[in-house]
Amino acid sequence: MTVVKEEPGRDGADDDGGMPGGDDGYVPSARRLDRERYKRARSRRATGIAALSTLVTAVVLYVVVVNAPGWPRTKETFFSAQYAREALPEVLEGLWLNVRLLLVCGAAVLVLGMLIAIARTLRGPVFFPVRALAAAYTDFFRGLPLIINLMIVVLGVPALRLQGVTVDPVLLGGTALTLTYSAYVAEVFRAGIESVHPSQRAAARSLGLTNRQALRHVVLPQAVRRQVPPLLNDLVSLQKDTGLVSIGGAIDAVRAADIIAGRSLNYTPYIVAGLVFVALTIPMTRLTDWVTARMDRRRAQGGTI
């Protein structure tokens, strides 16, 4: 028997047995290659224009600020490196209180907000008093400015001299934050619950689930998943507003900066505290943007949201 040895590249095949242009035999057309080159060139051009415009804007702002008549005095008062180094350790020590308030109050806000939202969505005339109280709670605390709520709780509760009631400004400030933000979060949860189509609940009931089981296993998972971006936004706002507990005397980052500024008559510590809060907020903000964009992509593709 004669064995025929195939030559490499015979019948258009490469040495590795694939077709020209790759193992799958696909060769991009000249039009597609031109289109991809055009997109890359356009992207490089857009990036260059954005970088140039950003640089020009920064230079203009720098020139305007530095050449302002009061810039030397402003620089000394608000941007002193000496006072920044002095304030940073104390501001960071006070920031730990803000972080703890965020964690504890954030968890309490989510739980209380969920309970209020469920109370507002209860069906049947027998639950009317519960729905009315939940609606009154959300209307009152959403309309009451947070700073006034803090003053009432932090300054008013100790004035009552109630037995067994704490007068710790940290606990009272955290309570005021929880009362206000739970009203906002309750409306977020309620919007999510009402966005679930009634057929979902009806289908769950047809499978033998009770109203409570349908709410727990069918409605709430969909509602919470849909409301993740606004919930994260509320937590970002809560993180910033934890600095308001300083009005009761709690030594947080803002109060630490205020003490140093009052002692030195220099406002650089406020700038340091502000930058620390910004650095703490940016990761949460970017996380919110990422989650929102991801959910938008899944929604556009018809995926589960």
Side-chain angles (χ1 to χ4, degrees):
M1 181 177 63
T2 304
V3 178
V4 178
K5 182 178 180 181
E6 295 185 359
E7 297 178 1
R10 186 176 180 179
D11 294 332
D14 292 330
D15 292 341
D16 58 358
M19 297 298 291
D23 293 341
D24 57 357
Y26 171 72
V27 178
S29 64
R31 178 175 296 180
R32 177 165 184 175
L33 293 175
D34 291 341
R35 188 186 305 117
E36 291 179 353
R37 282 194 295 267
Y38 172 75
K39 289 182 178 180
R40 289 193 296 268
R42 187 175 181 179
S43 177
R44 289 193 296 268
R45 180 173 177 270
T47 302
I49 293 175
L52 180 61
S53 63
T54 302
L55 179 61
V56 170
T57 303
V59 170
V60 170
L61 290 176
Y62 176 79
V63 171
V64 170
V65 171
V66 170
N67 291 327
W71 168 244
R73 181 60 177 171
T74 301
K75 180 181 178 181
E76 179 184 353
T77 306
F78 288 91
F79 301 100
S80 172
Q82 173 187 350
Y83 289 108
R85 288 191 297 268
E86 178 184 346
L88 183 59
E90 298 185 29
V91 169
L92 291 178
E93 182 179 354
L95 184 67
W96 174 233
L97 174 60
N98 297 105
V99 173
R100 286 181 292 169
L101 279 172
L102 172 63
L103 297 176
V104 176
C105 294
V109 162
L110 291 176
V111 173
L112 183 57
M114 176 64 76
L115 294 176
I116 295 171
I118 294 175
R120 291 203 64 181
T121 56
L122 291 175
R123 300 181 179 183
V126 69
F127 294 112
F128 175 77
V130 178
R131 292 196 301 268
L133 288 175
Y137 178 93
T138 55
D139 291 343
F140 179 78
F141 283 105
R142 289 177 69 197
L144 184 68
L146 176 58
I147 189 70
I148 296 179
N149 185 17
L150 280 163
M151 290 181 177
I152 292 174
V153 175
V154 175
L155 303 179
V157 171
L160 296 175
R161 299 181 181 180
L162 298 174
Q163 295 294 329
V165 178
T166 182
V167 295
D168 187 346
V170 176
L171 296 178
L172 293 176
T175 301
L177 290 172
T178 302
L179 291 174
T180 295
Y181 272 91
S182 60
Y184 289 101
V185 171
E187 288 300 284
V188 173
F189 279 131
R190 185 171 72 93
I193 293 173
E194 293 182 348
S195 69
V196 178
H197 198 274
S199 63
Q200 298 284 323
R201 192 187 296 264
R205 294 301 309 277
S206 68
L207 294 175
L209 274 68
T210 64
N211 280 326
R212 180 181 300 178
Q213 291 173 333
L215 179 66
R216 176 183 176 184
H217 298 290
V218 178
V219 177
L220 287 183
Q222 297 183 64
V224 173
R225 189 161 54 243
R226 294 178 180 181
Q227 298 304 106
V228 167
L231 287 175
L232 290 175
N233 281 325
D234 285 336
L235 291 179
V236 170
S237 298
L238 175 62
Q239 184 267 318
K240 294 183 296 183
D241 287 339
T242 55
L244 295 177
V245 298
S246 61
I247 66 173
I251 308 299
D252 69 328
V254 177
R255 182 60 178 169
D258 185 59
I259 293 174
I260 300 174
R263 183 173 63 237
S264 62
L265 298 180
N266 188 282
Y267 300 126
T268 302
Y270 291 129
I271 303 298
V272 174
L275 293 177
V276 167
F277 272 102
V278 169
L280 188 63
T281 303
I282 286 177
M284 295 182 63
T285 306
R286 295 287 75 80
L287 174 63
T288 302
D289 294 341
W290 177 81
V291 171
T292 303
R294 180 173 178 267
M295 296 185 68
D296 289 342
R297 288 195 301 269
R298 296 185 65 182
R299 186 182 295 111
Q301 296 171 359
T304 303
I305 59 173

CSV table of all heavy atoms in Angstrom, one decimal, residues 36 95 97 151 180 212-213 229 244:
chain,number,residue,atom,x,y,z
A,36,GLU,N,-12.5,49.1,12.1
A,36,GLU,CA,-11.8,49.0,13.4
A,36,GLU,C,-10.7,50.1,13.5
A,36,GLU,O,-10.5,50.7,14.6
A,36,GLU,CB,-11.3,47.6,13.6
A,36,GLU,CG,-12.4,46.6,13.8
A,36,GLU,CD,-11.8,45.2,13.9
A,36,GLU,OE1,-10.6,45.0,13.7
A,36,GLU,OE2,-12.6,44.3,14.2
A,95,LEU,N,-12.5,60.2,62.5
A,95,LEU,CA,-13.2,59.5,61.3
A,95,LEU,C,-13.7,58.1,61.7
A,95,LEU,O,-14.7,57.6,61.2
A,95,LEU,CB,-12.3,59.5,60.1
A,95,LEU,CG,-12.9,58.9,58.8
A,95,LEU,CD1,-14.0,59.8,58.3
A,95,LEU,CD2,-11.9,58.8,57.8
A,97,LEU,N,-15.1,57.2,64.3
A,97,LEU,CA,-16.4,57.3,64.9
A,97,LEU,C,-17.5,57.4,63.7
A,97,LEU,O,-18.5,56.8,63.8
A,97,LEU,CB,-16.5,58.5,65.8
A,97,LEU,CG,-17.9,58.8,66.3
A,97,LEU,CD1,-18.5,57.6,67.1
A,97,LEU,CD2,-17.9,60.1,67.2
A,151,MET,N,-30.9,68.2,66.4
A,151,MET,CA,-31.0,69.1,67.6
A,151,MET,C,-32.1,68.7,68.5
A,151,MET,O,-31.9,68.7,69.8
A,151,MET,CB,-31.2,70.5,67.1
A,151,MET,CG,-30.1,71.2,66.4
A,151,MET,SD,-30.4,72.9,65.8
A,151,MET,CE,-28.8,73.3,65.1
A,180,THR,N,-34.3,59.6,60.4
A,180,THR,CA,-34.5,60.3,59.2
A,180,THR,C,-34.3,59.4,57.9
A,180,THR,O,-35.1,59.4,57.0
A,180,THR,CB,-33.5,61.5,59.1
A,180,THR,OG1,-33.9,62.4,60.2
A,180,THR,CG2,-33.6,62.2,57.8
A,212,ARG,N,-47.6,35.8,53.2
A,212,ARG,CA,-46.3,36.1,53.9
A,212,ARG,C,-45.2,35.4,53.1
A,212,ARG,O,-44.1,35.9,52.8
A,212,ARG,CB,-46.3,35.6,55.3
A,212,ARG,CG,-45.0,35.8,56.0
A,212,ARG,CD,-45.0,35.3,57.5
A,212,ARG,NE,-46.1,36.0,58.2
A,212,ARG,CZ,-46.4,35.7,59.5
A,212,ARG,NH1,-45.7,34.7,60.1
A,212,ARG,NH2,-47.4,36.3,60.1
A,213,GLN,N,-45.4,34.1,52.7
A,213,GLN,CA,-44.4,33.4,51.9
A,213,GLN,C,-44.2,34.0,50.5
A,213,GLN,O,-43.0,34.1,50.1
A,213,GLN,CB,-44.8,31.9,51.8
A,213,GLN,CG,-44.7,31.2,53.1
A,213,GLN,CD,-45.3,29.8,52.9
A,213,GLN,OE1,-46.2,29.5,52.1
A,213,GLN,NE2,-44.9,28.8,53.8
A,229,PRO,N,-29.3,50.3,43.4
A,229,PRO,CA,-28.6,51.6,43.1
A,229,PRO,C,-29.1,52.8,44.0
A,229,PRO,O,-28.3,53.5,44.7
A,229,PRO,CB,-28.9,51.9,41.7
A,229,PRO,CG,-29.1,50.5,41.1
A,229,PRO,CD,-29.8,49.8,42.1
A,244,LEU,N,-22.6,65.3,61.1
A,244,LEU,CA,-23.5,66.2,61.8
A,244,LEU,C,-23.7,65.9,63.2
A,244,LEU,O,-24.2,66.7,64.0
A,244,LEU,CB,-24.9,66.3,61.1
A,244,LEU,CG,-24.9,66.8,59.6
A,244,LEU,CD1,-26.3,66.7,59.0
A,244,LEU,CD2,-24.4,68.3,59.6
